[in-house]
Amino acid sequence: MFELLGIPPQALFGQLLLGLINGSFYAILSLGLAVIFGLLNIINFTHGAQYMMGAFISWMLLNWLGIGYWPSLLLAPVVAGISGVIIERLFLQRLYHLDHLYGLLLTFGLALIIQGLFRNYFGSSGLPYQIPAELRGGQNLGFMFLPNYRAWVVVASLVVCLATWFVIEKTRLGAYLRAATENPTLTQAFGINVPLLITLTYGFGVGLAAFAGVLAAPIYSVNPNMGADLIIVVFAVVVIGGMGSILGAIVTGFGLGIIEGLTKVFYPEASATVIFIIMAIVLLVKPAGLFGRTA
Amino acid sequence: MADVTIAAPATETAEQADHSALHRTLFIAMAALLVVLPFIPVVGYPFFLMKVLCFALFACAFNLMLGYGGLLSFGHAAYFGFASYVAAYTAKHWGLTPEVSILLGTVSGAVLGLAFGALAIRRQGIYFAMITLALAQMVYFFSLQAPRFTGGEDGIQAVPRNALFGVLPLGNDTVTYYLVAAIFFVGVLLIYRIIHSPFGQVLKAIRDNEARAVSLGYRVNQYKLAVFVLSASLAGLAGATKAIAVQLASLTDVHWSMSGEVVLMTLVGGMGTVFGPIVGAAVIISMQNFLAGLGAWVTVVQGVIFVICVLVFREGIVGVIGKWLKKPL
């Protein structure tokens, strides 16, 4: 076996893969945040809680209704998305005429409520979720062992991210969305139902977060706090990437995940803070973010 | 004609004089209340009162930035918590006297505020909030990973209350309470002075219309950084005082949920009011004490209060009272 800079390849590639997986979650979550922010001008603090809800909904579907991983991959985002639609209609809609900061505060409050309720009911120790039978085991690639499920997570996230990019940039619905982001009043004047578009966009963003949650359920244990710390890292990712571009969010998400993975190999003490340090550097060098447009 | 409308009035108007007279009365009443509070039954637990006062000062410091500078920092726990570690560490391991420990804690809050503020003011609005939150999370991870300094999960427990100035022993809670009350009162007076200074006026101008303030020739970023550092130092003062008063510095103080709590206190009391954060802190800390047995339900209740405040009660308790009296409080 060869060694790279004194690090066994097993450890190096293992951490790289884990970094790639975290990166997929960063990418999906920051993508959802960017889509929501684009149209609603609200930073969705509930995003982490909604990611956690995705994982819990799939756990509940399995343990209470006997519905397995594959259907819940679709069902959980839909259920979470509907809850998002309700939240938008009930609360967020009342805030659009106010300062953006109220949206942040409201969604923060909602996150506290959701996380508190789940913690009351399920405790905070975490629940196991089995990897689906089709994806157990793994491939020996010679230089490393590749668990099938982890490969699937990376591929599925990439597909979902690219599909989202395609829908927003290349379809008619996406064109409406981009038009409403640019100028809602004018778009409405053209006969497009912007309030409905806003509601559906929020639901879709929440659905994306829940999808990431379902993917995460078999890797990390299903835990009421799983989204709380993650969302802060995702905020840093969003600051680094800037929310102007969809592809930018995807690239930044995956890139930072990989950097975090590498840090775990070479300097583990800094692995928790490396993304925040990169954020500080980016703010010094390019305050608008790597892919951001200056306002 | 134009000159007349633009020129600032040379003397304060009768209305302003009326308001400062009201504020003066309220400050005197507050001072009197601080003196007698420990003797009032039911609320008169010095330990509880000290906690309220420390958090009230913390919320006032936060409000200086949000209510008067229009800057929502979501990471104020960093300055509060880090200063509380510094004060606890220097008191316990170096045996420093309380005033020196608290001073060092305040300075550490200021230094941290200078570093983080310089970064955060490079972006506005929602990004500003996210950056301050992310930077504060960095402080949290540092505190988690540096157990030799912070005590890790245990925190720094049994922080000694050394003799004040090396002569005045802070043996019992009541004596310490008066120290905390004095620090709190001076801190709030200072904040009041900052708000009503020319500097404070420029801050409000930036809050209300940043582009206009820039076009009038104000170096907006310097003002923002200055208020950031002031706010972080005062948050540090509150945290350091808390470490000595409650004799504990722990990870709770640097966690993001603490940053959320101080936002909640300010929101409940009334942001952009002088006395609002004090009332808000009293309400939230009392509620936590009252609901302490309910575990995670406290989080849920706090979330519900957040939602209600944002939806229908944006002025806060003191804001609403001020509206009734038609006077800014």
Side-chain angles (χ1 to χ4, degrees), chain A residues 98 120 243 269 283-284 287, chain B residues 122-123 127 145 297 314:
Chain A
L98 297 170
N120 273 326
M243 284 192 286
E269 292 82 1
L283 280 172
L284 287 175
Chain B
R122 298 172 79 88
R123 298 297 293 273
Y127 282 100
Q145 289 174 344
W297 283 110
R314 283 185 287 274

Side-chain angles (χ1 to χ4, degrees), chain A:
Chain A
M1 269 292 182
F2 64 99
E3 284 200 358
L4 263 169
L5 303 166
I7 308 278
Q10 279 291 351
L12 179 64
F13 289 108
Q15 287 299 344
L16 257 182
L17 181 65
L18 204 60
L20 211 52
I21 285 173
N22 278 332
S24 352
F25 296 146
Y26 298 157
I28 300 183
L29 291 174
S30 61
L31 187 61
L33 278 182
V35 172
I36 292 174
F37 180 73
L39 205 53
L40 282 77
N41 271 323
I42 276 180
I43 270 295
N44 185 29
F45 220 122
T46 326
H47 222 62
Q50 281 150 347
Y51 159 85
M52 175 270 285
M53 273 171 72
F56 264 102
I57 292 171
S58 61
W59 184 90
M60 287 187 256
L61 286 173
L62 181 69
N63 289 279
W64 294 354
L65 301 174
I67 298 172
Y69 177 82
W70 298 106
S72 71
L73 208 51
L74 184 69
L75 273 177
V78 169
V79 173
I82 292 171
S83 81
V85 166
I86 295 171
I87 287 174
E88 200 276 341
R89 282 280 146 134
L90 224 53
F91 303 119
L92 295 179
Q93 221 162 45
R94 295 161 204 272
L95 299 177
Y96 296 142
H97 63 285
L98 297 170
D99 196 309
H100 304 341
L101 299 177
Y102 285 107
L104 179 75
L105 297 180
L106 183 99
T107 49
F108 179 74
L110 288 174
L112 288 184
I113 296 175
I114 296 173
Q115 274 155 10
L117 288 177
F118 275 87
R119 213 175 310 151
N120 273 326
Y121 197 83
F122 294 99
S124 42
S125 49
L127 306 164
Y129 190 95
Q130 286 284 313
I131 293 176
E134 296 85 346
L135 292 175
R136 284 188 200 136
Q139 314 295 327
N140 195 344
L141 301 181
F143 56 90
M144 70 174 289
F145 179 77
L146 177 68
N148 286 341
Y149 186 77
R150 302 197 165 198
W152 153 251
V153 168
V154 175
V155 173
S157 320
L158 256 181
V159 169
V160 164
C161 285
L162 292 177
T164 308
W165 171 80
F166 182 81
V167 169
I168 293 176
E169 296 291 335
K170 302 290 172 195
T171 65
R172 179 164 288 254
L173 183 67
Y176 291 159
L177 193 82
R178 279 178 289 136
T181 304
E182 208 66 47
N183 191 334
T185 324
L186 208 56
T187 312
Q188 185 136 28
F190 277 108
I192 291 157
N193 190 343
V194 173
L196 180 69
L197 200 60
I198 290 177
T199 308
L200 291 181
T201 303
Y202 188 74
F204 174 73
V206 173
L208 271 183
F211 180 79
V214 183
L215 286 181
I219 298 183
Y220 307 115
S221 70
V222 181
N223 185 317
N225 302 320
M226 65 193 283
D229 288 335
L230 185 68
I231 192 64
I232 302 178
V233 180
V234 174
F235 280 172
V237 172
V238 164
V239 172
I240 294 169
M243 284 192 286
S245 121
I246 302 280
L247 275 183
I250 301 171
V251 171
T252 319
F254 277 100
L256 287 172
I258 292 171
I259 292 176
E260 201 184 32
L262 287 178
T263 317
K264 263 185 204 140
V265 181
F266 292 108
Y267 191 60
E269 292 82 1
S271 62
T273 45
V274 65
I275 289 185
F276 303 121
I277 293 167
I278 294 175
M279 181 190 79
I281 296 170
V282 168
L283 280 172
L284 287 175
V285 180
K286 203 165 179 296
L290 296 179
F291 298 89
R293 289 173 293 186
T294 28

